Amino acid sequence: MDMTLQPQKAKGGASGYLTIDLSALRDNYRALAAKAPHSITSAVVKADAYGLGADIVAPALYDAGCRHFFVAHIDEALSLRLHIGSDAKILVLNGLQLGNDVSCAALNIIPVLNCLEQIAQWSAQAAALGKTLPAALQIDTGMSRLGLAPYEVDTLLATPDLLKGIDLTCIMSHLACADEPDHEANAVQLAAMRKATERFPGVPICFANSGGIFLGTDYHNALMRPGIALYGGAPSSAHPNPMKPVVSLSVAVVQTRTVPAESFVGYGASLRTTRETRLATIAAGYADGLPRSLSSRGAAYFNDVRLPIAGRVSMDSITLDISALPEGTLTHGSLVEIIGPNQSLEAIAEDAGTIAYEILTRLGQRYRRHYIHPEKQTAASSTIIRDK
């Protein structure tokens, strides 16, 4: 992503710019699909496409050829149905809640059935409508989060009427440690998945998440469901990130000042300067998805120069030590890089003691959003930035 596409100064009241490169997003989707050409590659767009705007992200993926989308909740599915083609399949990972089976059936939304109660609810809805309804079936292969336990699989197969009226579109499970290729849990879960799915002959298998795609062909099966890798996050902690960056974030300077040695900075007076220090306060804080745990640990960048966070991260602002820059370099409205060429999602997450998923999904709505649309091309530039 070319940071030069961003304005040099904040304009129009913007506190910062969150740029989403839809061209890179689509390239990532196609690169993941190419890893397993005999599998169908879906897209996980839950949590508003990891905070990037499902109403824009999902259509871009649809245009790239994606026809299977995963969300977490029924309300996400209802909203998504308005933005992609009617031929797209939308699956709800958390399955059915009480009372939403009617909406699922009416809008051809596919629940992921995680327990015997959800199976009974969906079967009853099929009976009420006098038709067969599609569903995915999740089996717990060792994560102990969602899906049928082995004894529940036994119950299900011993009582065929439990699945009456249900067309199983796939059997799925979730890998707990796919981002750690050498973790023993991967092989244990693969063995458990094979054992379970042998009991459902002919039903397609959905197993590989982002990391799972890179574990090899044994994990690919009929349907893959990448999430974080689509958005530029690293699918594996053991190898360099092969995905294109999709997100960049720059934030505006609100004020600069010079303080003498022995000055306190920020809440709790947690930082005391040891020398005369030049500071800049920027217009984002933990309410904008930049965790308080970055206090006196994280950094921003300007022209490749690291600017350490000085003191505590506040709700709406962060103070930076800008002493490494020539005086006058940053002024009111100047933009500093939070995520970009100098600082990846993984880097800022590491400083915050968290994961890239959490950083991405918490960025919020207060930044000015720019979407780089690959279909908008001019002679001067291959991309164009547009506000949402």
Side-chain angles (χ1 to χ4, degrees):
M1 182 184 300
D2 186 355
M3 288 290 292
T4 62
L5 288 170
Q6 299 221 24
Q8 297 303 303
K9 286 221 173 191
K11 299 178 181 179
S15 61
Y17 295 87
L18 181 64
T19 300
I20 298 104
D21 187 343
L22 298 177
S23 181
L25 173 85
R26 300 202 317 187
D27 286 347
N28 286 341
Y29 174 80
R30 289 169 175 148
L32 293 167
K35 295 283 292 182
H38 300 296
S39 302
I40 295 172
T41 303
S42 68
V44 180
V45 293
K46 63 182 180 178
D48 198 28
Y50 286 45
L52 301 184
D55 58 332
I56 294 180
V57 165
L61 291 167
Y62 182 90
D63 289 345
C66 184
R67 292 297 181 270
H68 292 73
F69 296 85
F70 283 86
V71 295
H73 303 295
I74 179 66
D75 286 349
E76 293 177 327
L78 297 177
S79 175
L80 185 61
R81 181 55 81 195
L82 302 174
H83 299 291
I84 54 177
S86 60
D87 60 329
K89 298 183 185 300
I90 304 174
L91 295 91
V92 180
L93 290 165
N94 282 353
L96 296 169
Q97 297 293 341
L98 296 177
N100 64 16
D101 40 12
V102 175
S103 298
C104 266
L107 292 174
N108 193 28
I109 292 166
I110 302 173
V112 176
L113 304 177
N114 297 293
C115 59
L116 295 177
E117 291 84 356
Q118 290 185 351
I119 293 170
Q121 183 181 351
W122 198 230
S123 179
Q125 180 61 28
L129 295 173
K131 60 191 291 188
T132 299
L133 295 175
L137 180 66
Q138 180 146 217
I139 294 172
D140 178 20
T141 56
M143 192 174 181
S144 303
R145 186 179 67 171
L146 288 173
L148 273 65
Y151 76 88
E152 291 177 303
V153 175
D154 292 340
T155 300
L156 183 63
L157 292 172
T159 318
D161 281 353
L162 291 178
L163 286 170
K164 188 175 182 180
I166 298 175
D167 173 26
L168 290 183
T169 63
C170 69
I171 304 290
M172 59 180 284
S173 191
H174 194 68
L175 288 158
C177 304
D179 58 331
E180 302 176 59
D182 297 328
H183 200 292
E184 62 180 347
N186 295 319
V188 171
Q189 285 195 261
L190 177 61
M193 187 64 167
R194 284 174 169 168
K195 182 178 179 181
T197 54
E198 285 173 357
R199 306 179 72 181
F200 297 88
V203 180
I205 299 169
C206 177
F207 196 30
N209 52 12
S210 289
I213 293 173
F214 291 83
L215 292 178
T217 56
D218 287 344
Y219 294 82
H220 292 164
N221 301 294
L223 178 65
M224 307 188 301
R225 55 179 197 280
I228 190 67
L230 292 172
Y231 308 107
S236 171
S237 60
H239 305 289
N241 187 359
M243 313 314 298
K244 290 185 176 181
V246 171
V247 174
S248 65
L249 173 63
S250 58
V251 175
V253 171
V254 176
Q255 184 178 1
T256 61
R257 71 176 71 237
T258 300
V259 298
E262 302 299 317
S263 295
F264 292 123
V265 181
Y267 278 122
S270 61
L271 180 82
R272 176 180 282 182
T273 60
T274 58
R275 51 174 169 71
E276 184 177 87
T277 305
R278 284 184 292 108
L279 303 172
T281 299
I282 62 173
Y286 57 76
D288 306 284
L290 304 179
R292 193 169 182 266
S293 55
L294 287 170
S295 300
S296 292
R297 293 182 59 186
Y301 283 82
F302 186 83
N303 287 349
D304 303 331
V305 177
R306 187 176 188 272
L307 308 174
I309 292 176
R312 290 184 183 171
V313 173
S314 301
M315 182 182 293
D316 314 296
S317 61
I318 293 172
T319 300
L320 305 173
D321 183 342
I322 62 170
S323 302
L325 293 173
E327 189 167 357
T329 301
L330 296 183
T331 58
H332 183 211
S334 296
L335 292 168
V336 296
E337 173 196 326
I338 303 296
I339 301 170
N342 294 290
Q343 184 159 254
S344 67
L345 276 170
E346 284 72 28
I348 194 171
E350 183 176 359
D351 283 343
T354 185
I355 56 176
Y357 299 74
E358 186 173 9
I359 297 295
L360 197 58
T361 57
R362 291 177 59 184
L363 290 177
Q365 298 296 321
R366 297 207 291 186
Y367 304 113
R368 187 73 52 83
R369 291 189 172 211
H370 283 167
Y371 289 85
I372 302 177
H373 293 263
E375 69 275 13
K376 302 282 189 177
Q377 297 190 353
T378 67
S381 174
S382 61
T383 59
I384 187 169
I385 295 178
R386 188 183 75 186
D387 285 345
K388 179 177 177 180

